[in-house]
Amino acid sequence: MDDQEIPTDIWVFYCAKRLKQHWRTVDPEQLEELAADLAGDASLRALSPIAAAALFLEPVMLPDEPA
């Protein structure tokens, strides 16, 4: 394992936490499942969990809403 690589369970936790900031009414378990799915995408997994969540959320963000 690369020294910079975040363990998957920690990556999923922080990704789900960021998704929860956007979708506050969605069941946290569903967001954790989504984050786990995102972790399965090599291009997203190469990013930090916060950056991956922001990239995933781009299509649903308002232009003036922070990622």
Side-chain angles (χ1 to χ4, degrees):
M1 178 166 90
D2 186 303
D3 288 339
Q4 300 296 326
E5 188 176 327
I6 301 170
T8 301
D9 59 334
I10 302 299
W11 194 96
V12 167
F13 172 82
Y14 282 103
C15 185
K17 184 175 177 179
R18 173 59 189 95
L19 294 170
K20 179 70 175 165
Q21 290 173 342
H22 183 76
W23 286 310
R24 294 185 174 124
T25 60
V26 176
D27 182 348
E29 286 185 23
Q30 287 183 308
L31 294 175
E32 204 164 306
E33 288 176 19
L34 173 56
D37 287 346
L38 296 179
D41 180 319
S43 63
L44 292 175
R45 185 63 175 92
L47 302 172
S48 74
I50 305 304
L55 185 62
F56 177 79
L57 289 169
E58 273 184 3
V60 296
M61 300 294 283
L62 296 174
D64 60 343
E65 193 174 3

